[in-house]
Every structure is written in C-alpha cells, then in structure tokens.
C-alpha cells in the first residue's frame, strides 16, 4: 500500500550540489521517521540522515554542514539537499520511511535507489 519514488540523482562535479527528493504514496495512517541511506560499491550501507515527523534531524558526521534533510508532511515527501559534494559521496542513495500502514501494522519502506556520482 506504500510506494516510495526517488528522483534527483545524477552526475555532478566536486564542489557541486544536488537535491534528492522522495515521495511516498499509497494508503497509510501516518509516516514517522523518514531518511536516506547510501551504499557505494564494495562498502557498507551508511545511514546518511534522518528526520522525524516533528522535524528533528540527525546526520552522519561526514555530511554534517554539507547536507540538509527536510520534509513536507502535507505532501509526504522528504528531500536531501547536498552541497559541497565530494567524490566520496558517490553512492546509490535510498530513501526510507517508517510508516504506520494500519493501527496494527507498521514497517519500513524503501525506494528503488538513485545514483549520485561526484566526479571531474
């Protein structure tokens, strides 16, 4: 009943910026935490940023001061503004949402991933 669709990935030069967006759709009661993971080839999956329904945010240290996560509860979207991008930011980025599908059932839903490549 829940689908997450990501957009905004692409190729950017070091020091550049990208804005990722993720839209949740379907039938559900509410969305709690939303956020972004990333995974580079041969590396462990890394939690990048999370945001609560009330707007509290947390970031992994390497992106603090460069990335900003935000959400629009009315539109059921979460964005990740990425500035001052570095080659080490290159990865597939996945959005997720902790969703109350029904009063009895809640769970995590994931997008399909979007590629971010930072290279000269």
């Amino acid at each position: 009943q829940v689908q997450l669709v990501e957009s905004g990935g692409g190729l950017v030069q070091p020091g550049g910026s990208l804005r990722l967006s993720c839209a949740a759709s379907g039938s559900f009661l509410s969305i709690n935490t939303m956020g972004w993971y990333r995974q580079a080839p041969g590396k462990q999956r890394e939690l990048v940023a999370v945001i609560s329904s009330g707007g509290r945010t947390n970031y992994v240290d390497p992106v603090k001061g460069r990335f900003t996560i935000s959400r629009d509860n009315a539109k059921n979207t979460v964005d990740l503004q990425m500035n001052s991008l570095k080659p080490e930011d290159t990865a597939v980025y996945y959005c997720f949402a902790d969703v109350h599908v029904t009063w009895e059932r809640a769970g995590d839903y994931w997008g399909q991933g979007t590629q971010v490549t930072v290279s000269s």
Side-chain angles (χ1 to χ4, degrees):
Q1 294 184 9
V2 183
Q3 299 83 41
L4 300 178
V5 179
E6 297 133 322
S7 62
L11 174 65
V12 66
Q13 294 183 334
S17 298
L18 283 174
R19 180 174 178 267
L20 306 183
S21 297
C22 178
S25 62
S27 180
F28 48 84
L29 296 177
S30 63
I31 301 176
N32 297 313
T33 300
M34 303 184 78
W36 297 86
Y37 281 90
R38 67 184 181 185
Q39 187 167 32
K43 294 182 171 59
Q44 296 178 225
R45 186 182 67 178
E46 178 182 40
L47 180 62
V48 178
V50 295
I51 184 167
S52 72
S53 61
R56 292 185 64 253
T57 60
N58 289 99
Y59 302 89
V60 67
D61 283 344
V63 310
K64 287 182 178 178
R66 300 189 297 119
F67 291 10
T68 302
I69 188 170
S70 61
R71 65 188 288 171
D72 186 332
N73 291 333
K75 297 180 179 179
N76 294 318
T77 60
V78 59
D79 292 351
L80 186 68
Q81 179 65 47
M82 304 184 294
N83 299 326
S84 302
L85 283 162
K86 304 175 180 179
E88 51 263 43
D89 295 318
T90 296
V92 178
Y93 285 70
Y94 300 89
C95 71
F96 71 90
D98 176 17
V99 181
H100 283 135
V101 181
T102 69
W103 186 248
E104 297 86 6
R105 190 173 90 251
D108 290 341
Y109 291 81
W110 297 78
Q112 79 287 348
T114 185
Q115 177 71 48
V116 172
T117 302
V118 185
S119 176
S120 298

